[in-house]
Amino acid sequence: MIEQPAKQRKNLFVNDVSRPIYHFLPPANWMNDPNGLIQWNGQYHLFYQYNPTGANHANMHWGHAVSDDLVHWQDLPVALAPTSGSVDEGGIFSGCTIDNNGTPTIFYTGVSIGYDTQVQCMATSQDDLLTWQKYSDNPLIGTVPTVAKQTREFRDPFVWKEGEMWYMVVGSQIADRGGVVFLYQSPDLINWDYLHPLYAAPETDPGAVWECPNFFKLDDKWVLIISHNSHDVTTRVHYFVGTYENLQFTPENHGIFDHAYLYAPLTIQDDKGRRLLWGWIREGRTEEAYVAAGWSGVQCVPRVLSLDENNHLLSEPVHEIETIRKNGQHFSDIVLAEKTDITARGLNLDISAEIECGTEGQLTILLASSEDGSTRTVIQYDTASQHLTLNTEKSSKSGSDHRKNYVIEHLLAADERLELRILLDGSVIELIANKRTSITGRIYPTNPDDNFLRVYGNDIILRHMSIYEMPSIWSYEIG
Ligand code: DQQ
């Protein structure tokens, strides 16, 4: 058990209102994918892609943090670093941790300098996950299956056990086809046999790579989550829900897990039986801007996954985050009009709302707005077109490339209310509608006074709305 000290971080970013205060991010520098999630002695361990020397994607290590409650985190020493002259000298890329009969065991991708060779490696810990020893005979898997017709894109092992056998999926690319997930099997975690593609891009999609696969049982279905890297604006997290029999996966439904900045998620099942997901919230500003800021990358608030009767993958923030809510304002049964009915202030908020929409209903929520509304982030729902919008085109006066307008179809059944959950945290907005449409956006507020929230609409009844202030999850060293 790792004790949590009362004071843990130096506050290096006191006046940076863009930096989230209740989402996890390292004390400074670059972070991307969540890695190696595991619950050990009841505590949640989060590893993550980390550059200890700067806020750019380079020099990949595994950073490490631990939490008793999924809300507050203690920083721990870097868990894995590249070893020069070895198969991971170019970086320790993403992977997972499993419990091998009492031995914590990491599977990760070791890359060469320049990333042209990507191989699957192992490391174990003898001191409850604090320090790690790399397997002396790495790599475990050193070549891409020939069906890939390429030798470079091969990473992010995800391992699980069924009966007496271990299985691994690895993200890759078939050169003339698109993304693929390869399936392996092992009796002992050391010797791995390649079986076949678990699933490949259903339509030709050359150039795309499927990264960070997750494959797990949820209720009586199997879910495959992949991060579809198309090297352009269509880079998104996709999911497939289906059946898995005789080592064959047959998808029955496909969806987009998040329509904007959430990427490379990793899941685990915790001791409460919940399937939890963390995902990297990418930056929406230029490399120059985030390097200058000194930090880059945020984890989403962990989400609990479930399925509905239509095989949609649903997600909602873990209820633990509600324990830090403060100063709640509650509104019920309000018929909204064009003039603002509700005003609140704050750049770190947790908002939930349940809304009845008339046939011509239009709901507008302004966030991070200046008093005159010239700076604003806009969330809208339009009943006639059944579209949900997150518009960040006027979100701040900072020079950045986050200025986007996401207009995403969100169908409601005839008697279904619109349910919104909005986690605003400085530059992060997690917007989730009816648990099934997720748009994670970035805004970069520069003026702490541009923090008005306004709600208005027409042909809309706000059945319920709660707005909470959210405090920092960190205790900072004094001085
Ligand atoms: N990020 C890691 C890779 C993974 C990619 C490298 C996804 O292992 O494929 O930092 O963001």
Side-chain angles (χ1 to χ4, degrees):
M1 188 80 169
I2 295 164
E3 296 298 327
Q4 302 222 26
K7 293 174 187 159
Q8 23 182 329
R9 285 190 167 184
K10 287 198 189 337
N11 195 355
L12 302 170
F13 303 97
V14 191
N15 297 318
D16 185 347
V17 289
S18 278
R19 186 170 157 95
I21 62 171
Y22 72 93
H23 283 69
F24 178 85
L25 72 181
N29 298 326
W30 169 279
M31 173 180 70
N32 55 304
D33 315 352
N35 292 152
L37 300 168
I38 192 163
Q39 214 179 357
W40 199 265
N41 294 332
Q43 295 182 303
Y44 294 91
H45 287 258
L46 165 67
F47 302 86
Y48 51 87
Q49 291 283 280
Y50 178 53
N51 176 2
T53 53
N56 58 325
H57 183 278
N59 188 26
M60 278 301 132
H61 290 57
W62 277 29
H64 187 189
V66 67
S67 173
D68 288 332
D69 61 3
L70 290 174
V71 178
H72 303 91
W73 296 87
Q74 179 193 344
D75 298 311
L76 295 175
V78 159
L80 286 172
T83 303
S84 75
S86 83
V87 291
D88 62 30
E89 70 176 335
I92 311 285
F93 274 16
S94 291
C96 64
T97 308
I98 53 109
D99 177 354
N100 179 21
N101 218 3
T103 304
T105 305
I106 282 177
F107 295 87
Y108 67 94
T109 299
V111 297
S112 61
I113 291 163
Y115 310 156
D116 277 335
T117 307
Q118 306 183 4
V119 294
Q120 314 320 321
C121 301
M122 188 174 85
T124 52
S125 172
Q126 303 301 329
D127 60 359
D128 285 343
L129 294 78
L130 274 178
T131 60
W132 294 84
Q133 293 74 48
K134 293 177 185 172
Y135 178 55
S136 55
D137 219 7
N138 276 335
L140 303 172
I141 305 174
T143 50
V144 189
T146 45
V147 60
K149 298 183 196 148
Q150 54 85 22
T151 55
R152 182 190 152 105
E153 315 288 359
F154 185 51
R155 53 188 178 267
D156 314 331
F158 179 91
V159 175
W160 74 99
K161 195 173 193 184
E162 270 177 83
E164 291 305 298
M165 268 305 173
W166 293 96
Y167 293 89
M168 178 194 288
V169 280
V170 183
S172 188
Q173 175 194 68
I174 298 177
D176 49 7
R177 164 91 177 260
V180 64
V181 168
F182 291 124
L183 179 63
Y184 290 80
Q185 173 179 274
S186 170
D188 56 8
L189 294 172
I190 305 286
N191 299 289
W192 290 92
D193 289 326
Y194 168 61
L195 298 177
H196 48 254
L198 179 75
Y199 195 54
E203 283 162 27
T204 305
D205 184 16
V209 184
W210 285 5
E211 306 179 304
C212 303
N214 287 240
F215 190 56
F216 54 89
K217 194 162 189 270
L218 193 59
D219 303 333
D220 57 350
K221 296 289 176 188
W222 281 77
V223 179
L224 174 67
I225 298 177
I226 54 103
S227 290
H228 173 280
N229 187 352
S230 40
H231 312 288
D232 61 22
V233 291
T234 63
T235 291
R236 291 279 180 278
V237 178
H238 294 236
Y239 69 83
F240 302 87
V241 178
T243 58
Y244 181 54
E245 279 163 20
N246 302 323
L247 306 174
Q248 301 293 332
F249 176 57
T250 311
E252 296 165 343
N253 188 37
H254 161 239
I256 304 278
F257 183 74
D258 185 82
H259 293 273
Y261 284 92
L262 193 153
Y263 195 67
L266 183 64
T267 68
I268 46 159
Q269 184 164 322
D270 78 352
D271 59 10
K272 298 182 177 68
R274 301 179 294 183
R275 178 59 61 168
L276 301 179
L277 174 144
W278 277 253
W280 166 38
I281 302 177
R282 296 178 291 154
E283 291 301 313
R285 50 184 171 179
T286 59
E287 180 168 347
E288 191 186 6
Y290 57 71
V291 168
W295 61 273
S296 174
V298 185
Q299 297 297 326
C300 70
V301 168
R303 297 189 187 181
V304 183
L305 300 182
S306 56
L307 291 172
D308 73 7
E309 62 284 3
N310 299 315
N311 283 341
H312 290 126
L313 185 59
L314 309 182
S315 72
E316 58 186 317
V318 289
H319 68 82
E320 284 89 335
I321 199 69
E322 298 164 21
T323 59
I324 58 168
R325 289 166 161 178
K326 289 196 316 192
N327 302 331
Q329 293 185 59
H330 308 282
F331 307 88
S332 322
D333 300 323
I334 295 179
V335 180
L336 288 179
E338 277 301 340
K339 274 291 215 198
T340 291
D341 289 284
I342 295 173
T343 303
R345 296 192 73 168
L347 286 175
N348 310 92
L349 301 172
D350 180 351
I351 303 156
S352 55
E354 222 182 282
I355 295 136
E356 247 174 63
C357 308
T359 46
E360 298 300 313
Q362 255 195 341
L363 168 78
T364 302
I365 301 176
L366 299 189
L367 292 171
S369 172
S370 54
E371 192 157 15
D372 66 2
S374 59
T375 296
R376 61 182 182 271
T377 296
V378 187
I379 292 171
Q380 250 169 353
Y381 187 72
D382 182 77
T383 323
S385 66
Q386 303 236 23
H387 277 79
L388 179 68
T389 297
L390 174 65
N391 188 333
T392 64
E393 286 168 329
K394 294 203 160 48
S395 283
S396 84
K397 299 194 167 66
S398 70
S400 271
D401 52 9
H402 68 267
R403 297 167 194 286
K404 299 207 171 95
N405 189 20
Y406 297 95
V407 183
I408 307 296
E409 186 176 67
H410 180 66
L411 303 178
L412 291 175
D415 55 351
E416 194 180 15
R417 290 179 177 176
L418 175 67
E419 289 170 21
L420 294 181
R421 182 73 182 273
I422 304 163
L423 302 179
L424 170 67
D425 194 8
S427 54
V428 165
I429 297 185
E430 295 190 60
L431 167 62
I432 306 170
N434 299 78
K435 300 184 193 168
R436 61 179 180 267
T437 301
S438 168
I439 313 175
T440 300
R442 298 306 300 261
I443 63 174
Y444 290 92
T446 49
N447 180 353
D449 296 328
D450 291 349
N451 65 356
F452 285 84
L453 177 150
R454 296 204 167 94
V455 184
Y456 52 91
N458 56 281
D459 201 14
I460 289 276
I461 303 173
L462 200 58
R463 283 298 170 206
H464 176 76
M465 186 171 208
S466 291
I467 304 167
Y468 298 91
E469 292 169 18
M470 295 298 272
S472 171
I473 56 171
W474 304 106
S475 357
Y476 291 109
E477 283 177 24
I478 315 241

